[in-house]
Each structure stands twice: as structure tokens, then as C-alpha cells.
């Protein structure tokens, strides 16, 4: 029989993403996508009375994820104004940690992770001199990781509003109900249970903590039940929440020191300005007297 030879090429989208430490501190789809190119060729089709055989050879090339340096550079390009050192030091460390989470192979964006990051960011940037700059920094940070800052905000707000309407019982019993947030949590539970990509991180733990906080469900037993239905290790969550609390305590202390420093500098400037004002007043008086 005749041999038929043809070729085609196509591209598909897949995920790629890595966790590290919070202690030192997307796009139109909830998942980051890296383009993978495939080239497949039918090298032959043979048919006979007994069987037919198709031979296909495929090769693929996966784009390399960006380096930490590239992500940091993207951030600096997107936000070019100077950032006070107390904020910048933590932001630079955070972006390194989140880069590693982001490009871990099993990473998949989810709304609880987004809520956790937004919670950390708001705590970190509380008291920042300019609300406009604070939002611009957030935009630059998330875009540097090649995700959608608006999606982070929308999903975080959605979960916050949902949690405020819950109580300890309904929060844990989400799997028995229908709804948008309930669907999000069910999807996380399935993936964390081994039915898909799921990468636990400290931002995820903080997102859970925020849900409990807003639902007034801070009893340890509620956290234990919620971790169980989400198929998440409670020991890891407890450990990471301890790190988060310590971080917040350090941030509060650092901001107090910064405020004291700013107040001292302001007082010094005022004291230096006093003699100059007195001299100017005397000069004006002398000029007036000579008229």
C-alpha cells in the first residue's frame, strides 16, 4: 500500500513554577503559563490485511523560567522610585522567596495563596508615606512575577467578604455547599489530596489564618478541622503562622524605630531653622527702623 507522509506543529500551555522562607523577609488565567513548543511528524502509515501502523516522532522544548535576578530587575524597571530601606529590604527578600514559590514545578495559583500574600503586603506596607506609591509597588511586584495584580486583589477581596459571612461551623463545612468560594476551596482540597498540582507555602497558611480571623473562628480545633478538609498538614501551618507572627512583631518594632528617627530629624531641622528665623526677623526690624 501507499505510504502517507505529513507533518504538523502546534503549541500548548503548561505550568511551571518554589518555596522558601518568609521569616526574613495573573495574567487572565489563575495559572501562570509557559509556552511549550512541540513538533510532531508522521513518518509513515502502512496498512495490510492484518494491521495498520502509525509512526509519530515528537520533540519538545520547554522555555526556561526566569532567574531570581531577572525577576528583581523586572520589579526595579516597573517601579523606579526610591523605596525607604525599612520597606525595601523586606520587599527584596519577599520577592526572592516568592520567585522560588512561583516557579516551582507543582505551583498553581489559587485564591487562598493570593489572600495570604495580600495580607502580608498590607501588613508590611501599613503606614507607607503614599497610598498611591504603595499600590504602584504592589502592581510592579506582582507583574515582575508575571502574574496579574488585579486578580490577586479581586480574589483576596472575594475570600474576605465570604469569610466575614461565615461562622466556625460553616467555614469548615464548605464542601457540603455550592458557591464560588466553596468551589475554590473544593478544588484546593482535591489538588492537595493528590488529584492535581498543589504546592503548600507560607502564603497559603497565612491565607487560611486570615479566613479564620474574619470568620471569628480562631479556636485551634477549627484550624485543625479546616486543615483536615483541605488535606493540608496542620503542623506545617502552625509552624508558618508562628513565623508570620514573629515577622509582624519585628515589623512593628522596626516601624516604631523609624518613626522615632523621623521625629528626631524633624526636630533637629526645626532647631536649626530657629536661629535663621531670628536673624531674619532682626534684619527686617533694622530695615524698618532705618526707613
Amino acid at each position: 500500500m501507499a505510504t502517507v507522509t505529513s507533518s504538523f506543529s502546534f503549541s500548548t500551555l503548561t505550568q511551571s513554577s518554589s518555596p522558601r522562607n518568609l521569616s526574613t523577609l495573573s495574567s487572565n488565567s489563575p495559572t501562570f503559563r509557559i509556552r511549550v513548543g512541540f513538533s510532531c511528524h508522521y513518518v509513515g502509515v502502512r496498512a495490510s490485511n492484518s494491521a495498520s501502523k502509525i509512526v509519530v516522532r515528537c520533540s519538545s522544548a520547554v522555555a526556561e523560567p526566569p532567574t531570581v535576578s531577572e525577576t528583581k530587575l523586572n520589579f526595579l524597571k516597573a517601579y523606579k522610585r526610591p523605596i525607604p530601606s525599612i520597606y525595601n529590604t523586606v520587599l527584596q527578600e519577599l520577592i526572592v522567596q516568592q520567585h522560588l514559590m512561583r516557579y516551582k514545578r507543582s505551583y498553581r495559583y489559587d485564591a487562598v495563596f493570593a489572600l495570604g500574600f495580600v495580607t502580608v503586603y498590607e501588613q508590611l506596607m501599613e503606614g507607607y508615606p503614599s497610598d498611591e506609591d504603595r499600590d504602584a509597588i504592589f502592581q510592579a511586584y506582582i507583574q515582575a512575577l508575571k502574574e496579574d495584580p488585579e486578580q490577586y486583589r479581586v480574589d483576596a477581596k472575594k475570600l474576605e467578604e465570604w469569610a466575614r459571612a461565615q461562622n466556625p461551623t460553616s467555614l469548615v463545612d464548605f464542601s457540603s455547599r455550592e458557591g464560588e468560594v466553596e468551589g475554590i476551596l473544593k478544588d484546593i482540597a482535591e489538588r492537595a489530596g493528590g488529584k492535581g498540582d498543589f504546592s503548600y507555602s507560607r502564603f497559603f497558611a497565612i491565607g487560611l489564618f486570615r479566613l479564620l480571623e474574619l470568620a471569628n473562628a480562631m479556636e485551634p480545633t477549627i484550624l485543625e478541622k479546616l486543615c483536615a478538609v483541605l488535606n493540608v498538614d496542620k503542623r506545617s501551618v502552625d509552624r508558618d503562622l508562628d513565623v508570620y507572627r514573629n515577622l509582624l512583631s519585628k515589623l512593628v518594632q522596626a516601624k516604631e524605630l523609624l518613626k522615632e528617627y523621623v521625629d528626631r530629624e524633624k526636630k533637629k531641622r526645626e532647631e536649626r531653622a530657629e536661629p535663621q528665623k531670628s536673624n531674619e526677623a532682626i534684619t527686617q526690624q533694622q530695615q524698618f527702623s532705618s526707613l
Side-chain angles (χ1 to χ4, degrees), residues 51-88:
S52 61
K53 185 178 182 181
I54 299 176
V55 180
V56 181
R57 294 197 182 105
C58 297
S59 61
S60 65
V62 182
E64 289 293 324
T67 64
V68 171
S69 297
E70 288 170 338
T71 296
K72 293 177 74 172
L73 183 60
N74 288 338
F75 173 65
L76 295 174
K77 286 180 178 178
Y79 188 82
K80 298 179 180 180
R81 299 185 64 182
I83 301 173
S85 60
I86 186 175
Y87 299 99
N88 191 49

Side-chain angles (χ1 to χ4, degrees), residues 75 91 94-95 98 117 136-145:
F75 173 65
L91 280 171
L94 263 183
I95 203 167
Q98 193 164 349
F117 174 76
I137 292 169
F138 180 87
Q139 297 276 334
Y141 181 104
I142 299 299
Q143 289 172 353
L145 291 157

Side-chain angles (χ1 to χ4, degrees), residues 17-213:
S17 73
S18 268
R20 232 188 89 185
N21 208 327
L22 184 71
S23 61
T24 53
L25 299 335
S26 297
S27 63
N28 295 325
S29 165
T31 57
F32 172 70
R33 297 173 169 182
I34 293 179
R35 186 167 297 278
V36 182
F38 286 86
S39 178
C40 297
H41 301 275
Y42 284 101
V43 298
V45 179
R46 290 187 178 85
S48 65
N49 292 333
S50 58
S52 61
K53 185 178 182 181
I54 299 176
V55 180
V56 181
R57 294 197 182 105
C58 297
S59 61
S60 65
V62 182
E64 289 293 324
T67 64
V68 171
S69 297
E70 288 170 338
T71 296
K72 293 177 74 172
L73 183 60
N74 288 338
F75 173 65
L76 295 174
K77 286 180 178 178
Y79 188 82
K80 298 179 180 180
R81 299 185 64 182
I83 301 173
S85 60
I86 186 175
Y87 299 99
N88 191 49
T89 300
V90 182
L91 280 171
Q92 291 298 322
E93 183 63 27
L94 263 183
I95 203 167
V96 171
Q97 311 309 331
Q98 193 164 349
H99 172 97
L100 298 175
M101 299 174 194
R102 169 71 178 80
Y103 293 107
K104 188 175 181 180
R105 184 163 298 175
S106 59
Y107 172 81
R108 178 174 167 183
Y109 170 92
D110 66 60
V112 176
F113 177 95
L115 175 60
F117 174 76
V118 170
T119 299
V120 171
Y121 184 84
E122 293 300 328
Q123 292 282 353
L124 167 63
M125 302 298 283
E126 184 180 14
Y128 198 79
S130 166
D131 290 342
E132 183 179 349
D133 286 342
R134 180 171 59 186
D135 185 61
I137 292 169
F138 180 87
Q139 297 276 334
Y141 181 104
I142 299 299
Q143 289 172 353
L145 291 157
K146 301 189 184 302
E147 291 189 312
D148 183 356
E150 184 62 22
Q151 184 174 27
Y152 270 70
R153 291 290 195 191
V154 169
D155 285 347
K157 183 178 180 181
K158 185 187 306 176
L159 262 65
E160 287 178 338
E161 291 176 349
W162 177 84
R164 288 190 181 97
Q166 306 306 309
N167 58 54
T169 301
S170 64
L171 183 68
V172 174
D173 195 32
F174 66 83
S175 61
S176 66
R177 305 194 310 274
E178 297 298 324
E180 185 178 8
V181 174
E182 286 84 356
I184 289 170
L185 297 177
K186 289 176 189 178
D187 176 65
I188 291 171
E190 289 182 1
R191 291 188 288 109
K195 296 182 180 179
D197 289 335
F198 177 78
S199 178
Y200 170 82
S201 70
R202 284 180 175 156
F203 288 138
F204 184 88
I206 295 165
L208 290 185
F209 177 81
R210 183 63 175 153
L211 292 177
L212 295 168
E213 186 178 44

Side-chain angles (χ1 to χ4, degrees), residues 194-253:
K195 296 182 180 179
D197 289 335
F198 177 78
S199 178
Y200 170 82
S201 70
R202 284 180 175 156
F203 288 138
F204 184 88
I206 295 165
L208 290 185
F209 177 81
R210 183 63 175 153
L211 292 177
L212 295 168
E213 186 178 44
L214 293 171
N216 293 316
M218 299 299 290
E219 299 86 352
T221 55
I222 302 300
L223 175 59
E224 184 174 359
K225 291 177 181 178
L226 185 59
C227 289
V229 294
L230 287 171
N231 297 310
V232 175
D233 182 14
K234 181 178 180 294
R235 290 174 298 179
S236 297
V237 174
D238 286 336
R239 179 195 64 218
D240 291 333
L241 290 180
D242 284 341
V243 172
Y244 174 57
R245 294 185 189 101
N246 290 335
L247 170 66
L248 292 183
S249 177
K250 292 177 181 178
L251 280 174
V252 169
Q253 294 173 12

